[in-house]
Structure formats: C-alpha cells, structure tokens
Amino acid sequence: MAASLSSSPGSGVRLEVVGSAPAEAAVHTAHRPVAPVALPAAALPATVRPRRRLAQPEGMLQVHTAPFRGSVAAVLSLALRSAGLGSRVLVSQLLKGGVEQGLAASPWLCGRLQWLRPAVATCLAEPAPTHGGEILEAVQEVWAFSRQQLLHGSVDLMVLDELGLAVELGYLPLQEVLTTLEQRPPHLDVILTGPSMAPELMALADQVTQLRRGC
C-alpha cells in the first residue's frame, strides 16, 4: 500500500491511498484461523498395544520310589518321548556302572537325550568309604555335571536315578543336593528315582509315585 499527495485546481491538496489487491488480501487473512485438515484413516498411527507375555509352564519335582532297584525304567519312556518331541533331556544314573561310560563317553538318544553313568566297572551298592577315591570321584563327576546343567537350566527334563541312595550311602552330601534342587529354574522338570529317598527329599516333591511289585 502507498500514499501520495496530489493537487487539483480549486480543491487544494488531496491525500490518496493506493493499495494493491494481493497486499490487502494478505492483511485480511494474516490473522484468520486455519481450519484443521483431516488425515485419511491410513495415515493415522495405529494404536500400539503392549504384547501379553505367555505364561511359561512351571516345572515339577517328581519322586518315583520303589522298594527295589530299577524303578528308572518307569520314566525312561517319558524321557525318550520328551526328547523325541524336541525337549532337552538328561538322564543321570549315579550308581549304575558296568559300561564305563563316564562324562566323555556318554551316548545320546533321539539327538536330545544324554545318558550319563559314572566310569565304574560295576553297579555300586556299598557305602562310599568301602571304595577307593577313584570310584567316589566318578560318582561325584556325574553329579557335578548334572548339578551344573540343572542350575543353568540347560535342559528341560532331568532324571536323577538313585539320587537318594547315593546320599544315603555317602557319595553325595544331603545339604548340597537339597540346596541344588531348591534353586532349580522354574521351567525345569526333575524326576528322582530309586529305592531310598530321605524325608527331606520327599518334602520337596510336588508329586510322589510309589511303585509296588505285584502280589
């Protein structure tokens, strides 16, 4: 917009205001509120919903006991089936010998089931003090490996055959066994088998199965 002075005969001095149309339109629209623009539905951000974490199945501590040795046969089919379905399984027979497996020579079944025995020539039925240090070390080697796998949650199912008898005969300390079982990961299933189970082990169990011979 511009102002100019001009004169004409008989009218004196006259003030004229000259403005351009675009400039005047800008003045009138500078303070005009802008209407909100509606975005298409596809452009709006989707509501993000937090994912619900599925509850992980809780493992159980089971005891399968019998007045005779060899009760592990009742759970071997379960262990094999679990391995066949993709679970990681460890079967540790703490007092079974005769095949001199040891940790380095433990076989694998179904690709996921590790079968572990101590490297001793025969099955062990006598108290630990009646044997030499090598036999005691062989049993403790199996337990140490099993304990490590249990605490680290490296398997889904663990069978500890004759664990109670190994404690009773003095091959393993009861308090260490109890502490280890109490610290097991929540998802891990543990099955204890054998003819002898200390009351403390029975008290930890979620389920107890007693096998009997037919009359």
Side-chain angles (χ1 to χ4, degrees), residues 153-196:
S154 302
V155 296
D156 304 303
L157 171 63
M158 181 176 296
V159 178
L160 298 172
D161 181 37
E162 296 188 338
L163 177 67
L165 188 59
V167 170
E168 182 180 296
L169 296 177
Y171 292 93
L172 302 176
L174 175 60
Q175 189 56 50
E176 179 178 303
V177 170
L178 292 174
T179 301
T180 300
L181 294 176
E182 290 173 348
Q183 295 177 352
R184 69 189 187 278
H187 75 278
L188 180 58
D189 286 308
V190 179
I191 302 179
L192 311 181
T193 65
S196 177

Side-chain angles (χ1 to χ4, degrees), residues 23-24 66 118 132 141 144 147:
E24 293 177 355
E141 179 187 42
R147 180 176 181 271

